[in-house]
């Protein structure tokens, strides 16, 4: 089965840091860009950013409001991508998803999503 | 405030046809970027419903269809069923190199 699984969520204090992991299986992970998307409770989907594949030099792009606090990286030898989050705020509380664009069908249509991992930022 | 604008809610009775609009601008949908649609059932991850404006992934019923015109996209659901009750999101790409989503539309089947 093609799947993505997030891990690393939990409770963190305001101002703290956290690293989420995303593990892929069932597909050629190294060929796939990986995106992170979050969703606050009762709210819509918010794109965080992407990391491209090796062919594209693992280039990253981020949502402008989150640029500088969030960093995406990957380790293709482990089929994993990471989301490093710093200076966390209460408004960062959300379910965080990793997702991949379906190969060959245009601009970033996400066909595989993880189940998500919940981050709660609270004192 | 989302870059793409969707109605917060729509409703219909079983068997009816409903549509959900997604309005963007000249820097995203109007710049000829595709519109994709997702269905999200409560407590689950989004599911790709329509890609590249009007194509259905394998397994998606043909009751779901999409279209695009100018700076807007549209999702239509015909023969509405109780199991269609969910949140629906549109998504596109922006010339700022960002993926953009609509704010989501809650579909209620009356």
């Amino acid at each position: 089965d093609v799947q993505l699984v997030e891990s690393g969520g939990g409770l963190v204090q305001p101002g703290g840091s956290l690293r989420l992991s995303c593990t892929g299986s069932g597909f050629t992970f190294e060929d796939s860009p990986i995106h992170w998307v979050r969703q606050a409770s009762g709210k819509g989907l918010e794109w965080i950013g992407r990391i491209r594949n090796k062919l594209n030099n693992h280039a990253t792009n981020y949502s402008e409001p989150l640029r500088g606090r969030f960093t995406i990286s990957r380790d293709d030898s482990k089929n994993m991508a990471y989301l490093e989050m710093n200076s966390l705020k209460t408004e960062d509380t959300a379910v965080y998803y990793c997702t991949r664009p379906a190969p060959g069908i245009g601009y970033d249509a996400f066909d595989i999503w993880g189940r998500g991992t919940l981050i709660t930022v609270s004192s | 405030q989302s870059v793409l604008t969707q109605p917060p809610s729509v409703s219909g009775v079983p068997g009816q046809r409903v549509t959900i609009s997604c309005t963007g601008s000249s820097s995203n949908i109007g710049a000829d970027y595709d519109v994709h649609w997702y269905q999200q059932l409560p407590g689950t991850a989004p599911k790709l419903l329509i890609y590249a404006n009007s194509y259905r992934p394998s397994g998606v019923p043909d009751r779901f269809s999409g279209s695009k015109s100018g700076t807007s996209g549209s999702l239509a659901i015909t023969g509405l069923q109780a199991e269609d009750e969910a949140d629906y999101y549109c998504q596109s790409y922006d010339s700022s190199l960002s993926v953009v989503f609509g704010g989501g539309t809650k579909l209620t089947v009356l």
Side-chain angles (χ1 to χ4, degrees):
Chain A
D1 262 8
V2 178
Q3 63 175 348
L4 293 167
V5 178
E6 304 92 344
S7 59
L11 176 64
V12 60
Q13 292 191 335
S17 298
L18 201 63
R19 188 179 82 157
L20 304 183
S21 300
C22 170
T23 305
S25 60
F27 65 102
T28 307
F29 186 85
E30 66 181 16
D31 289 344
S32 180
I34 295 294
H35 294 240
W36 288 90
V37 175
R38 70 181 182 180
Q39 185 172 35
S41 180
K43 304 295 185 182
L45 302 171
E46 180 184 12
W47 183 72
I48 296 170
R50 75 155 71 78
I51 185 164
R52 299 182 190 269
N53 59 18
K54 182 178 180 180
L55 195 65
N56 290 284
N57 298 314
H58 292 160
T60 53
N61 300 99
Y62 300 93
S63 168
E64 192 59 41
L66 301 176
R67 190 191 310 270
R69 289 197 303 125
F70 286 20
T71 302
I72 300 172
S73 60
R74 64 191 296 161
D75 184 344
D76 290 337
S77 69
K78 297 180 179 179
N79 280 6
M80 295 182 73
Y82 306 98
L83 175 64
E84 185 92 33
M85 302 177 290
N86 298 311
S87 303
L88 283 163
K89 309 173 183 180
T90 56
E91 52 263 42
D92 294 319
T93 295
V95 174
Y96 285 71
Y97 297 101
C98 62
T99 181
R100 74 139 200 203
I105 63 169
Y107 283 100
D108 296 332
F110 301 126
D111 67 336
I112 304 297
W113 295 70
R115 290 187 177 183
T117 187
L118 175 63
I119 307 299
T120 303
V121 183
S122 174
S123 54
Chain B
Q1 191 169 351
S2 302
V3 173
L4 305 179
T5 300
Q6 299 179 231
S9 64
V10 296
S11 63
V13 298
Q16 192 176 9
R17 178 181 187 270
V18 297
T19 62
I20 299 173
S21 61
C22 173
T23 303
S25 69
S26 58
S27 68
N28 40 68
I29 298 175
D32 207 27
Y33 293 117
D34 290 335
V35 179
H36 315 303
W37 290 91
Y38 300 87
Q39 178 192 61
Q40 187 177 34
L41 299 171
T44 69
K47 170 191 169 184
L48 183 63
L49 200 63
I50 297 287
Y51 67 92
N53 307 315
S54 59
Y55 295 89
R56 286 184 308 277
S58 174
V60 173
D62 59 7
R63 301 186 296 104
F64 295 90
S65 63
S67 63
K68 174 190 162 185
S69 178
T71 58
S72 294
S74 183
L75 173 71
I77 309 172
T78 58
L80 198 61
Q81 299 181 3
E83 68 229 41
D84 299 333
E85 188 160 291
D87 294 326
Y88 292 84
Y89 293 90
C90 62
Q91 178 224 323
S92 187
Y93 189 78
D94 192 271
S95 51
S96 63
L97 302 181
S98 298
V99 169
V100 289
F101 286 100
T105 298
K106 181 176 182 59
L107 169 62
T108 300
V109 181
L110 301 171

